[in-house]
Amino acid sequence: MASSSSPINRQPNESDLDEEEDDQNPNELECFDDFTVASSWERLISDVEAVCRQWMADGPINLKEKGAEFLDSRRNLYKVKRELKYSMKLYCMEYYFEVFKDDKTEPWDDDLHKIQLSFGVSQFLVIAPLSASGVVLDAPESSKLLSAVATALSNCGSNWPAFVPVHDPSRKAYIGIQNMGTTFTRRFDSDRIGSQVPVRLMHMEGLYELFVSKFALSSIDFSTTFIEVHCTMKLTYRTPPYDEDDDGDGENLETEDKESKGDTDGINHIVSQWDDDYPWAEWYSAEDPVKGFELTAIWPSKIFEGSLEMAELENASSFDAEKWLIYLIVSPNMIDDSLGKLTGFASQLYLLVGALDKSFEALFLEDFTSAENMGSDNSKSTSSVPPPTAVDRILKELFHEGGQSSNYVQLEHKKSRVIKGAPLDSLFAQFCLHAMWFGNCNIRAIATLWIEFVREVRWCWEESQPLPRMSTDSSIDLSTCLVHQKLQMLAICIQKKGLLDNFHSSNKSKGQISDENKSDFQNAGNHCHDPVHEHSPDDKNCSYLIPNGHDGTENATVSVNPSHGIASDEQRNVNTSRRGSARILESSTLLHSFQKMHAPYTQEAPPMTEDMHEERLRAVEAFGDAFSVSGQLERDILSSDMSAFKAANPDALFEDFIRWHSPTDWENDETGDRLRDDKMEGDNSWPPRGRLSQRMSEQGNSWRKIWNDSPALPVSEQKPLFDPIREGEKILHYLETLKPQQLLEQMVTTAFRASADTLNQTAFGDWKLMKTKLDQLYLTLASTLKCFQGNHSLEKSELIGDLFQLCRVFEHIEKLLILAASVRRKLLDAPRLSEAIFNDYFNYYLPKMGTSSASICYDKEFNTKQLVKLRERDAVASLFPPPTANQSWRKVLSMGNLLNGHEPALREIIFSVYDTLSDNHYGSSNSSDITGDIETHRMYICGTSNDLQVALSVTSWD
């Protein structure tokens, strides 16, 4: 930049504001008077020259390093400015330059500055007054100002074009000049018609005639004169808005409907939303992030020789254009990063985290609903509770319209199970989603809804009604949250309690309950258990798998109807001397007798929730038994199996039980077995030769001790391993006394997981960037929510802060996913193009996805266009449906080049004429080193039927 001693940076004083006679100050006796800059106009020339010389000496790269302003363009356009003084006014001179010039610039490059596009220049100067209008309203002043800048640039040997804004600011008019060496000078002029555009200038033929009239020497007949004019055209089409009625048609139609249908129009006019069939539509209706598309059709530069050819170009189809470019118009809310700006899962999760913050204030949920603790918050809308009818509606949807449990896995993301919540279609997950939209999702509303929810669960228990949306598998999913585990356990208890109720009611009608029926029910109620292969019975039949015998025969199956609790007659009569026998194992024989081994009915391992496992582990540690922890946990089950085996096989030894229950702990003698097999048919060689494994043959083996202590009892006479009545009451007590903090922590985890799984069902075309972000979301959720799986050491403020940041991350993904769904649907027949458009926006939005405000770039605009391939043009054209008859007569189609009946929203044309440098008035003796053609006239036209801007540049030989 200029030094502090330069005329530009000196401090102004009163002598600087006077004319030539005031420059001589008697107090400055040794001051040098430069009479070449005596006037203010000459001083302006000197100041402009000094600044321009400094900018030229620095060059673009140094100017950039010194803090030039970047204008957000891929063409690396920068700007520097300096204030100047002329007479009594201050001016600002701006220099626009490109750091890396591209000689292959397309005429319709979207990154061009408006002056670059209008006049066909690259780097340029703009000098304007520092005033409210920013334009020079006085014509002599503008001419003098432009002349001063041109003189200064000529003194510097610079060919930068210079422009001065003139006239009224609404006209966006400029005048300019460019010195092109010592031979040529280019002059620029532009203006605008903001209303009442002449009809002839709305059409290509009239615009062509306007351009030719600027260089024609006499009045000619344009229709018969052939002048070679280069012309290139760019048309911009905008799709009709998707969420608004067209030009007030809806308002008029609504008035007509009211007159004709009276009060029934509210029933007949149910407007469907754009996202009615998307997975989130059950919970909220999202604003369509796609507000429309802009289609740009570009015609290449061609030579036209008459106005009739221009008329043909106006009637040409848009499909004849050389290039189609499409641009996505997004909702302003997609740019604004304020959390909660849009109604969605993220905004409700934000409220739910706020409820978690409040949950630390009380020990019981009833404290938030009692009248004594309402206080002044009762009047606040944020703490309001919806009426009882809203609670009843939610409970009806959960318990009476919820249906049966579905396949959780099909609704989950592959990484969803790492989040310790509840499956999406489960009862607790649906409760959490409903609670998010219940009132304002405040702690009072959640507490009210939870209390009523638990009451409904207790009613299901007391009436033996199955819990909706809950699986009755005997195995509890320990990867889920504890509330879901408890509800799953309660569903199992209700099922077993229902079997017991049905059994008593059916036998009571017969007069008495026989011991045989009691035994049958005990077998059915406890189910059968395969010690080798775990098997869960279905709802209708319980299949008992008999384990392999020593001869390797496959398992056999016995079917029992649990509703009756008795086996078939064929199975009952196998061997009446054995108690609790399910089937004879033909391939296995007891070691010390010739009797066949019987597989007994066994009790199924009781289901346990996570806290029950922890309770048993703590009991084992406190008891200090010699058994290992794993052996102690299975001791009751193992003792039951041994008692049942002894009852079914009175002559059995411990080795026989091992051969049946744990075949891997029995080591066969292969040589002895082969000899036995050879003689089996002849002399029934017995017993088989083998031995217990080292683990089972050790002194003081725990299994042998249990065997010795276990009585011979069939399962019908054993104490049940699982008491559904007792466990069910314990679960209800847990639900009714759950602390607010414990409930809200599990609700937050489940709500995040269920919301993510809901969005994951959205069809967006398996786009790679979106799938990657979804995968990252699940990993982020699992990492952040992991603190709830144990006694977290985070402070309350840090925990809540992390969750709020997680809400922000979730909102970013939710926005992008809804955008992906909308773009895909609108361009369903052009999958490559729709994904490319989304990828462009994704890359634009990526810097905004940080959790800190420093990563947000509000000043950037999304303006990336995608090239439309030829095979994709039909799909893009379908975005412009033909206007209805009602829309057609309302609109006046003033321009041609219609696309499905839609006129261009903007038409841009560049006319240009070239001439050689010899044999005409453009040639001179000083231009012998210049070859080729020169653009003598250029006109840029940008307009619609209501607005027209024209920019003209003329090259002359001075």
Side-chain angles (χ1 to χ4, degrees):
M1 299 300 176
S3 64
S4 60
S5 60
S6 64
I8 305 304
N9 290 326
R10 64 171 185 254
Q11 295 296 325
N13 49 52
E14 295 182 358
S15 61
D16 293 329
L17 304 179
D18 298 330
E19 294 298 330
E20 179 180 356
E21 59 272 16
D22 296 329
D23 289 339
Q24 299 177 358
N25 192 333
N27 297 327
E28 298 179 1
L29 301 177
E30 298 180 359
C31 179
F32 173 75
D33 294 329
D34 186 356
F35 293 100
T36 62
V37 292
S39 67
S40 58
W41 183 74
E42 291 170 331
R43 287 196 206 99
L44 176 63
I45 295 175
S46 177
D47 292 347
V48 172
E49 182 179 346
V51 174
C52 291
R53 288 185 183 276
Q54 184 66 50
W55 286 344
M56 293 174 64
D58 286 338
I61 297 179
N62 289 334
L63 289 176
K64 174 185 174 183
E65 295 177 351
K66 290 183 177 182
E69 180 183 353
F70 179 58
L71 298 182
D72 188 21
S73 170
R74 289 197 302 265
R75 293 180 55 82
N76 298 303
L77 187 65
Y78 289 82
K79 177 181 71 173
V80 291
K81 60 184 178 180
R82 185 68 63 83
E83 291 185 5
L84 302 171
K85 184 190 301 182
Y86 172 46
S87 185
M88 298 291 294
K89 295 183 179 180
L90 291 176
Y91 295 86
C92 179
M93 185 170 67
E94 298 176 333
Y95 171 45
Y96 295 79
F97 62 94
E98 298 173 4
V99 176
F100 302 103
K101 295 182 179 180
D102 186 2
D103 296 334
K104 298 181 180 179
T105 302
E106 297 291 336
W108 299 117
D109 195 330
D110 291 324
D111 289 325
L112 292 175
H113 189 274
K114 189 64 177 178
I115 290 181
Q116 290 176 318
L117 178 62
S118 299
F119 301 105
V121 298
S122 55
Q123 52 187 352
F124 57 94
L125 292 172
V126 175
I127 184 167
L130 289 174
S131 61
S133 64
V135 299
V136 181
L137 301 177
D138 183 64
E141 178 187 356
S142 62
S143 299
K144 185 181 294 186
L145 189 64
L146 188 62
S147 176
V149 175
T151 303
L153 292 174
S154 178
N155 295 338
C156 296
S158 171
N159 59 353
W160 294 344
F163 297 91
V164 175
V166 293
H167 307 312
D168 186 84
S170 62
R171 293 169 63 174
K172 301 178 182 179
Y174 288 90
I175 60 173
I177 191 170
Q178 179 183 14
N179 296 320
M180 303 176 67
T182 59
T183 306
F184 301 105
T185 300
R186 294 181 69 186
R187 289 179 172 83
F188 309 97
D189 192 7
S190 66
D191 209 341
R192 171 176 177 262
I193 302 176
S195 61
Q196 298 182 349
V197 178
V199 176
R200 70 183 187 90
L201 296 182
M202 296 180 186
H203 299 279
M204 298 288 292
E205 186 175 358
L207 295 173
Y208 170 83
E209 294 174 355
L210 173 65
F211 174 65
V212 174
S213 66
K214 297 299 179 182
F215 58 87
L217 300 180
S218 59
S219 59
I220 56 177
D221 186 358
F222 294 108
S223 61
T224 58
T225 303
F226 298 98
I227 302 175
E228 290 187 350
V229 176
H230 295 256
C231 175
T232 178
M233 181 171 63
K234 172 183 174 182
L235 301 179
T236 301
Y237 301 88
R238 292 190 181 93
T239 58
Y242 294 115
D243 56 352
E244 298 176 3
D245 292 327
D246 187 79
D247 291 340
D249 292 343
E251 181 180 354
N252 294 334
L253 291 175
E254 182 180 356
T255 303
E256 295 173 1
D257 288 337
K258 287 183 178 180
E259 294 175 356
S260 60
K261 298 184 179 181
D263 296 334
T264 62
D265 63 336
I267 301 176
N268 296 328
H269 293 282
I270 301 177
V271 180
S272 61
Q273 301 296 325
W274 75 275
D275 59 348
D276 281 346
D277 56 345
Y278 282 107
W280 64 78
E282 180 181 357
W283 307 104
Y284 67 93
S285 179
E287 176 193 4
D288 192 347
V290 178
K291 293 305 179 184
F293 292 89
E294 275 194 3
L295 173 64
T296 300
I298 297 177
W299 274 260
S301 179
K302 293 183 179 180
I303 298 177
F304 295 84
E305 297 182 347
S307 58
L308 295 180
E309 293 184 7
M310 299 304 300
E312 294 178 0
L313 178 62
E314 181 174 339
N315 295 324
S317 170
S318 299
F319 284 86
D320 297 336
E322 178 190 38
K323 185 186 298 184
W324 275 21
L325 299 171
I326 193 170
Y327 157 67
L328 176 65
I329 304 174
V330 297
S331 168
N333 289 328
M334 290 294 296
I335 311 299
D336 190 352
D337 293 296
S338 301
L339 186 61
K341 189 73 175 180
L342 292 174
T343 300
F345 285 123
S347 62
Q348 303 309 116
L349 288 170
Y350 185 88
L351 298 176
L352 186 60
V353 173
L356 171 63
D357 189 18
K358 294 290 185 181
S359 68
F360 292 85
E361 299 176 359
L363 294 178
F364 304 100
L365 286 166
E366 288 77 6
D367 294 340
F368 293 106
T369 59
S370 60
E372 293 81 3
N373 295 320
M374 289 183 182
S376 60
D377 291 340
N378 189 29
S379 60
K380 297 180 180 179
S381 60
T382 56
S383 300
S384 62
V385 178
T389 54
V391 179
D392 294 339
R393 175 183 55 81
I394 292 178
L395 295 179
K396 182 179 179 181
E397 292 180 5
L398 288 174
F399 288 92
H400 303 289
E401 299 177 0
Q404 298 299 321
S405 173
S406 62
N407 188 354
Y408 297 150
V409 178
Q410 293 180 354
L411 303 178
E412 293 179 346
H413 188 272
K414 60 183 179 181
K415 298 181 180 179
S416 177
R417 295 182 64 83
V418 300
I419 304 172
K420 199 173 180 64
L424 173 60
D425 201 37
S426 65
L427 182 60
F428 184 61
Q430 292 298 307
F431 167 82
C432 294
L433 291 175
H434 278 286
M436 289 168 57
W437 304 95
F438 183 64
N440 293 314
C441 194
N442 59 78
I443 185 63
R444 287 189 56 218
I446 293 174
T448 301
L449 185 62
W450 174 255
I451 292 172
E452 296 300 324
F453 173 81
V454 175
R455 288 176 182 172
E456 195 73 18
V457 171
R458 176 169 282 281
W459 179 89
C460 292
W461 164 253
E462 294 175 348
E463 300 296 328
S464 298
Q465 295 296 320
L467 282 180
R469 302 180 182 273
M470 294 306 301
S471 171
T472 55
D473 264 348
S474 59
S475 60
I476 304 297
D477 188 358
L478 300 181
S479 66
T480 59
C481 65
L482 188 56
V483 171
H484 175 75
Q485 295 179 38
K486 293 291 185 181
L487 291 175
Q488 190 177 0
M489 173 77 86
L490 185 62
I492 296 173
C493 294
I494 291 175
Q495 184 188 48
K496 294 183 180 295
K497 179 174 177 287
L499 290 175
L500 183 60
D501 293 342
N502 292 335
F503 172 78
H504 284 295
S505 61
S506 62
N507 285 278
K508 185 177 181 180
S509 62
K510 297 179 182 179
Q512 66 177 20
I513 302 176
S514 64
D515 293 339
E516 182 180 0
N517 287 340
K518 289 181 180 179
S519 175
D520 293 337
F521 174 78
Q522 180 72 13
N523 290 337
N526 290 319
H527 300 297
C528 282
H529 173 65
D530 180 359
V532 182
H533 304 284
E534 293 290 342
H535 178 74
S536 298
D538 57 19
D539 294 336
K540 296 182 179 179
N541 293 295
C542 176
S543 298
Y544 306 103
L545 295 184
I546 308 306
N548 295 343
H550 67 276
D551 56 353
T553 57
E554 295 183 355
N555 296 346
T557 302
V558 178
S559 296
V560 176
N561 190 332
S563 63
H564 298 88
I566 58 175
S568 63
D569 293 339
E570 179 183 356
Q571 300 302 327
R572 177 173 294 281
N573 295 327
V574 169
N575 193 333
T576 57
S577 64
R578 308 296 184 100
R579 295 187 301 164
S581 174
R583 183 177 176 83
I584 299 175
L585 300 179
E586 297 293 342
S587 59
S588 298
T589 311
L590 299 178
L591 290 176
H592 289 179
S593 68
F594 290 96
Q595 296 180 359
K596 296 294 184 181
M597 185 183 293
H598 285 237
Y601 290 112
T602 59
Q603 294 194 63
E604 190 178 49
M608 289 191 296
T609 58
E610 185 177 14
D611 61 333
M612 295 172 65
H613 280 286
E614 295 175 354
E615 182 180 354
R616 294 194 65 176
L617 286 174
R618 287 193 297 267
V620 169
E621 294 174 357
F623 184 69
D625 201 297
F627 296 104
S628 64
V629 173
S630 60
Q632 177 63 27
L633 291 175
E634 302 299 331
R635 179 174 182 173
D636 294 341
I637 301 174
L638 187 60
S639 178
S640 174
D641 291 347
M642 289 179 175
S643 295
F645 187 81
K646 283 183 176 182
N649 301 278
D651 299 330
L653 301 176
F654 175 68
E655 288 78 0
D656 293 318
F657 176 78
I658 295 299
R659 290 169 55 223
W660 170 71
H661 190 280
S662 182
T664 58
D665 284 313
W666 177 259
E667 299 175 357
N668 288 319
D669 189 337
E670 297 182 359
T671 305
D673 287 347
R674 284 198 300 268
L675 293 175
R676 176 182 57 79
D677 293 340
D678 294 339
K679 299 179 180 180
M680 179 66 69
E681 296 181 358
D683 57 1
N684 282 333
S685 176
W686 194 253
R689 298 178 182 180
R691 66 186 65 85
L692 293 174
S693 65
Q694 181 179 358
R695 181 173 74 97
M696 290 297 173
S697 59
E698 291 178 349
Q699 185 69 23
N701 179 266
S702 60
W703 282 45
R704 185 178 292 276
K705 185 177 184 300
I706 298 174
W707 171 265
N708 296 332
D709 296 339
S710 299
L713 292 174
V715 294
S716 60
E717 300 177 12
Q718 295 179 14
K719 179 183 178 180
L721 296 175
F722 181 75
D723 186 350
I725 305 299
R726 182 185 63 185
E727 295 298 333
E729 290 294 341
K730 289 172 62 177
I731 292 171
L732 288 171
H733 177 74
Y734 168 83
L735 297 177
E736 291 171 343
T737 59
L738 190 60
K739 293 182 179 180
Q741 176 187 347
Q742 295 174 341
L743 173 63
L744 266 297
E745 286 179 352
Q746 297 182 66
M747 285 185 64
V748 167
T749 305
T750 300
F752 271 107
R753 172 176 169 174
S755 300
D757 284 338
T758 301
L759 294 177
N760 183 58
Q761 300 176 51
T762 305
F764 55 84
D766 293 333
W767 294 346
K768 183 178 179 180
L769 290 179
M770 193 68 251
K771 290 183 66 176
T772 302
K773 272 300 173 185
L774 275 176
D775 292 343
Q776 293 176 358
L777 174 64
Y778 278 95
L779 294 178
T780 304
L781 291 176
S783 176
T784 306
L785 300 174
K786 190 176 181 180
C787 61
F788 292 134
Q789 297 184 17
N791 295 324
H792 54 80
S793 58
L794 295 177
E795 295 291 337
K796 174 188 172 183
S797 58
E798 183 180 358
L799 173 65
I800 300 301
D802 290 346
L803 292 176
F804 281 148
Q805 289 187 358
L806 188 62
C807 292
R808 180 176 292 279
V809 173
F810 195 98
E811 183 180 35
H812 292 316
I813 304 300
E814 187 174 13
K815 281 183 178 181
L816 290 175
L817 187 66
I818 295 176
L819 176 70
S822 181
V823 172
R824 176 181 178 272
R825 166 168 292 182
K826 293 173 174 59
L827 290 171
L828 194 60
D829 295 332
R832 182 212 66 86
L833 180 61
S834 59
E835 183 175 6
I837 292 174
F838 173 78
N839 290 346
D840 287 339
Y841 187 83
F842 180 91
N843 294 326
Y844 156 78
Y845 194 81
L846 192 60
K848 300 175 178 286
M849 298 184 67
T851 56
S852 63
S853 59
S855 63
I856 301 174
C857 306
Y858 289 103
D859 55 337
K860 294 187 64 175
E861 295 182 0
F862 177 68
N863 53 10
T864 305
K865 295 184 178 180
Q866 266 293 329
L867 178 65
V868 181
K869 296 184 178 181
L870 290 176
R871 64 176 180 271
E872 298 168 337
R873 290 192 176 186
D874 289 334
V876 173
S878 66
L879 299 173
F880 300 84
T884 63
N886 188 45
Q887 294 170 336
S888 297
W889 73 264
R890 291 174 183 269
K891 291 185 176 181
V892 178
L893 302 179
S894 304
M895 297 187 293
N897 302 114
L898 303 181
L899 176 60
N900 289 345
H902 296 269
E903 65 176 350
L906 183 66
R907 179 173 59 189
E908 299 173 83
I909 307 170
I910 296 178
F911 293 111
S912 56
V913 173
Y914 294 85
D915 206 343
T916 58
L917 296 176
S918 59
D919 299 333
N920 55 44
H921 64 281
Y922 286 100
S924 70
S925 58
N926 297 328
S927 60
S928 59
D929 56 337
I930 304 177
T931 59
D933 295 340
I934 184 173
E935 187 181 49
T936 60
H937 292 78
R938 183 185 188 276
M939 178 180 287
Y940 166 78
I941 300 171
C942 174
T944 64
S945 57
N946 298 318
D947 191 0
L948 184 66
Q949 299 181 26
V950 178
L952 178 65
S953 62
V954 178
T955 303
S956 61
W957 175 48
D958 297 335

